């Protein structure tokens, strides 16, 4: 169910960005696809930046990381966020079908 809802929301987001780019900015379809990709990645970058801003503001009392390690951790977190919520979870049945598992992972019974 999560995979279906994530895929539906991503498709709605793609249609929204595409139609906004075509209607308000009057661009070609190829440029509108670039706007869609930038919008998808930009919204996720904003969510990730907001979560890191909150984590930095109300951080734990131990010493902070250096700037390079902090930037590397933020970029790795963003890459994992995009990979999970744009590629893996919405296309769960595609991935599971390739490895021979036809049922979603969250429905599997564990004994």
């Amino acid at each position: 169910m999560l995979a279906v809802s994530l895929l539906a929301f991503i498709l709605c987001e793609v249609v929204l960005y595409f139609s906004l780019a075509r209607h308000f900015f009057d661009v070609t379809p190829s440029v509108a696809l670039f706007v869609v990709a930038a919008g998808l990645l930009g919204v996720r970058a904003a969510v990730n930046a907001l979560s890191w801003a909150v984590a930095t503001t109300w951080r734990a009392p131990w010493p902070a990381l250096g700037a390079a390690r902090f930037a590397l951790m933020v970029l790795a977190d963003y890459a994992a966020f995009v990979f999970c919520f744009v590629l893996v979870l919405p296309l769960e049945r595609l991935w599971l079908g390739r490895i021979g598992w036809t049922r979603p992972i969250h429905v599997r019974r564990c004994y």
Side-chain angles (χ1 to χ4, degrees), residues 4-26:
V4 174
S5 62
L6 279 174
L7 187 59
F9 282 124
I10 288 175
L11 289 176
C12 289
E13 195 176 3
V14 166
V15 168
L16 175 72
Y17 295 151
F18 189 83
S19 61
L20 287 174
R22 293 282 291 156
H23 181 70
F24 289 114
F25 299 112
D26 196 28

Side-chain angles (χ1 to χ4, degrees), residues 14 17-22 27-38:
V14 166
Y17 295 151
F18 189 83
S19 61
L20 287 174
R22 293 282 291 156
V27 296
T28 63
S30 59
V31 174
L33 289 176
F34 177 74
V35 170
V36 166

Side-chain angles (χ1 to χ4, degrees), residues 3 6-7 10 82-105:
L6 279 174
L7 187 59
I10 288 175
V82 169
F83 182 72
C84 269
F85 288 99
V86 175
L87 296 176
V88 174
L89 288 176
L91 305 173
E92 180 181 13
R93 293 208 184 251
L94 175 71
W95 301 112
L96 292 176
R98 287 186 180 216
I99 61 173
W101 190 281
T102 57
R103 295 173 54 194
I105 292 172

Side-chain angles (χ1 to χ4, degrees), residues 28-89:
T28 63
S30 59
V31 174
L33 289 176
F34 177 74
V35 170
V36 166
L40 283 171
L41 294 175
V43 166
R44 278 133 190 92
V47 168
N48 199 358
L50 181 63
S51 69
W52 278 101
V54 168
T56 303
T57 303
W58 292 289
R59 64 184 179 94
W62 49 78
L65 294 173
R69 290 192 64 188
F70 181 77
L72 183 65
M73 190 170 19
V74 169
L75 289 175
D77 187 45
Y78 174 67
F81 181 73
V82 169
F83 182 72
C84 269
F85 288 99
V86 175
L87 296 176
V88 174
L89 288 176

